[in-house]
Amino acid sequence: GAMARGTLTEDAYTGGMLGLVGVDVDGTLVGTDNRVREDVWAALEEARARGVRFALCTGRPAVGNALAYAQRLDPDGWHVFQNGASIVNVGSGESLSEPFPAGALPELLSRAHASGRLLEVYTDTGMAVSAPCQLTERHAALLGVGAYTMTLLATPERVPGGVPPRLMSASSSPIFRIR
């Protein structure tokens, strides 16, 4: 992670300049090995001891590794996931997220099936996929969740938790074409 490279001066702490710092995951908190180095955690803990608050601000969903990072950065704080689509207080579970329109999931799923593309959908606390494959397993490993803990979206009604979720974001790309 790049965070341990620089140091914060005493003036930055005591002068009140740093009340809240947003921390990205990929390439900032974690390096190419998808792990946070211990010296990075030590620097963050030192800053917290001096009164600086941290919020995770990431494109990752609030599950697996990203959730664990947020809980370690500030177990009672608000964190931003999925590029802002999901805003969650990891201590209370409270959410400021706004769901997709009710009819979005069936339409997204229909398009994914018709085009042969993989669809991943996310709520504040879960994720689901339209088809299991090697890509979903690799993505689950990167996120720190078991590939088989992701719900299979066989139909629009089959979603995380067994009930229609507050769908926060969806991802599909030509590179995720199912073969």
Side-chain angles (χ1 to χ4, degrees), residues 20 22 27 29 34-35 56 69 71-72 74 77 81 93-94 104 107 116 120 124 132-133 150 158 160 172 175 178:
L20 177 67
L29 188 60
N34 200 36
R35 295 177 47 176
L56 197 69
Y69 301 151
Q71 290 168 331
R72 187 161 176 185
D74 188 345
F81 300 94
E94 187 179 353
E107 178 64 23
E120 291 185 348
D124 280 332
C133 65
M150 292 189 293
R158 189 168 174 202
S172 181
I175 63 167
I178 300 167

Side-chain angles (χ1 to χ4, degrees), residues 115-128:
S115 65
R117 291 195 171 118
L118 171 66
L119 175 67
E120 291 185 348
V121 297
Y122 307 94
T123 67
D124 280 332
T125 59
M127 57 189 298

Side-chain angles (χ1 to χ4, degrees), residues 45-133:
E45 289 163 9
E46 177 185 340
R48 281 197 64 193
R50 294 173 181 241
V52 177
R53 305 253 344 235
F54 292 95
L56 197 69
C57 299
T58 181
R60 292 184 181 204
V63 296
N65 294 336
L67 180 60
Y69 301 151
Q71 290 168 331
R72 187 161 176 185
L73 284 172
D74 188 345
D76 299 314
W78 289 92
H79 301 275
V80 180
F81 300 94
Q82 302 173 54
N83 297 318
S86 180
I87 303 169
V88 178
N89 182 303
V90 296
S92 69
E94 187 179 353
S95 171
L96 298 177
S97 307
E98 291 292 326
F100 272 21
L105 184 58
E107 178 64 23
L108 289 169
L109 188 55
S110 175
R111 287 181 182 211
H113 285 302
S115 65
R117 291 195 171 118
L118 171 66
L119 175 67
E120 291 185 348
V121 297
Y122 307 94
T123 67
D124 280 332
T125 59
M127 57 189 298
V129 297
S130 60
C133 65

Side-chain angles (χ1 to χ4, degrees), residues 137-160:
E137 291 174 12
R138 287 178 40 212
H139 193 217
L142 174 73
L143 296 175
V145 297
Y148 300 104
T149 62
M150 292 189 293
T151 303
L152 177 62
L153 286 169
T155 68
E157 294 77 31
R158 189 168 174 202
V159 294

Side-chain angles (χ1 to χ4, degrees), residues 19-30:
L20 177 67
V21 177
V23 180
D24 184 31
V25 174
D26 298 300
T28 304
L29 188 60
V30 301

